[in-house]
Amino acid sequence: MVRFPWLPHAAGPLAGPLRERTSHLLDSAELSARSRRDLGRVHYGLDYNR
């Protein structure tokens, strides 16, 4: 289930850079389990609604 289907539309031209940044954070940052889960949902929403 996509949690934020409106996000790519609301972000407009920032959706691409935001998708890249969330991917980078998920790959390299030390995140709590909750932060990783929440950021993963945002990333999925951006990636799913390209």
Side-chain angles (χ1 to χ4, degrees):
M1 178 173 99
V2 177
R3 271 195 99 122
F4 309 104
W6 50 266
L7 186 58
H9 305 290
L14 297 177
L18 184 56
R19 185 183 316 108
E20 290 177 29
R21 183 67 179 146
T22 58
S23 179
H24 177 72
L25 286 170
L26 287 167
D27 288 344
S28 65
E30 292 184 28
L31 301 170
S32 68
R34 181 176 179 166
S35 295
R36 182 170 298 284
R37 183 176 55 247
D38 291 345
L39 188 59
R41 288 176 180 151
V42 170
H43 179 74
Y44 178 79
L46 289 166
D47 199 41
Y48 182 80
N49 290 306
R50 278 192 213 198

